[in-house]
Amino acid sequence: MPKIIVTEEQWIQKGIERFEQGGIEQLVIEKMAISLGCSKSSFYWYFSNRSSYIRQIVETWKEQTTQQVIASSIVHATADERIRDVLTRMFGTTKRGDFLFYLRKLSLKDDTYHSILDEVEQMRIEFMQQLFIQKGMQPEKAYRTSWMLYHYYLGWYERHKQETFNDETVQQHVHMIWTEWISI
């Protein structure tokens, strides 16, 4: 039987998938190795221990979910287009697991993750604040609007995370948010 080579990236992506389904309790190396079709010794080829693995999972998730959204919105020319794109991504993506929920839970036990969580949330709020400033909002109002929108999103996602929305429903929701909070 040929030996299956599993990359570090595959281990990390599997870890992200499992973490968002149940937190660190789902990161059982033996079970993940079976799922990846390899031996658990390949895990130790890339990671010195489970703690370093968890840290890498969180860092990769941070990069993928925050930095990529910010980078992808740059393709739009105007602040309005960028804001609408970010809102569409926020409210158009459900059924993706609860990574943020489990990270928040982990952060209660480990200050390292509390710092990462704070950094991610502050980065997201400040990014939206800058878009609102580009749109013409005063900085203080832009920050308050960003803060309120982010916290609204957290509750909205918790309420709707098991649902699937079509494009028309997402756009209606984005329009409602635009009309109530963003129009200046």
Side-chain angles (χ1 to χ4, degrees):
M1 184 164 163
K3 186 175 184 179
I4 298 172
I5 306 297
V6 176
T7 66
E8 180 179 14
E9 183 178 302
Q10 288 172 304
W11 273 104
I12 291 170
Q13 289 307 314
K14 179 59 70 177
I16 289 171
E17 291 169 18
R18 293 186 67 102
F19 187 89
E20 69 187 9
Q21 298 306 317
I24 60 172
E25 291 80 18
Q26 293 297 312
L27 301 177
V28 178
I29 306 310
E30 293 84 5
K31 289 181 181 179
M32 293 173 61
I34 291 168
S35 176
L36 289 167
C38 64
S39 70
K40 75 176 192 174
S41 64
S42 74
F43 171 86
Y44 294 102
W45 182 259
Y46 302 112
F47 310 101
S48 57
N49 56 44
R50 190 169 178 261
S51 294
S52 68
Y53 178 58
I54 293 168
R55 177 68 185 240
Q56 188 60 47
I57 288 169
V58 171
E59 289 293 341
T60 302
W61 168 84
K62 175 179 142 184
E63 177 69 25
Q64 289 176 349
T65 62
T66 302
Q67 297 295 351
Q68 286 180 358
V69 169
I70 290 170
S72 67
S73 76
I74 292 173
V75 300
H76 299 286
T78 68
D80 283 2
E81 290 171 337
R82 291 178 76 192
I83 293 167
R84 286 185 188 277
D85 179 65
V86 171
L87 292 175
T88 299
R89 288 172 186 268
M90 285 170 66
F91 294 100
T93 307
T94 54
K95 292 193 172 190
R96 67 171 177 245
D98 277 334
F99 198 101
L100 197 57
F101 170 80
Y102 291 112
L103 179 57
R104 200 172 303 284
K105 187 176 175 182
L106 179 59
S107 77
L108 296 173
K109 298 176 186 174
D110 187 330
D111 284 341
T112 301
Y113 296 104
H114 186 74
S115 297
I116 292 171
L117 180 62
D118 285 348
E119 180 184 342
V120 166
E121 293 188 322
Q122 193 61 35
M123 193 175 359
R124 291 174 176 188
I125 290 168
E126 288 174 359
F127 172 70
M128 286 304 290
Q129 177 189 20
Q130 290 307 310
L131 290 178
F132 292 149
I133 289 170
Q134 290 172 17
K135 181 175 174 40
M137 271 188 203
Q138 293 299 314
E140 187 176 313
K141 181 179 181 187
Y143 182 82
R144 285 193 318 266
T145 303
S146 299
W147 187 92
M148 187 170 60
L149 179 60
Y150 183 72
H151 289 86
Y152 167 76
Y153 165 74
L154 293 176
W156 179 91
Y157 183 79
E158 184 61 31
R159 168 68 175 83
H160 298 287
K161 65 187 172 187
Q162 299 303 321
E163 299 175 46
T164 302
F165 297 102
N166 62 36
D167 290 340
E168 181 181 346
T169 302
V170 172
Q171 290 310 311
Q172 287 172 348
H173 192 77
V174 169
H175 179 73
M176 186 261 320
I177 291 168
W178 190 272
T179 304
E180 296 299 321
W181 288 341
I182 301 171
S183 292
I184 57 170

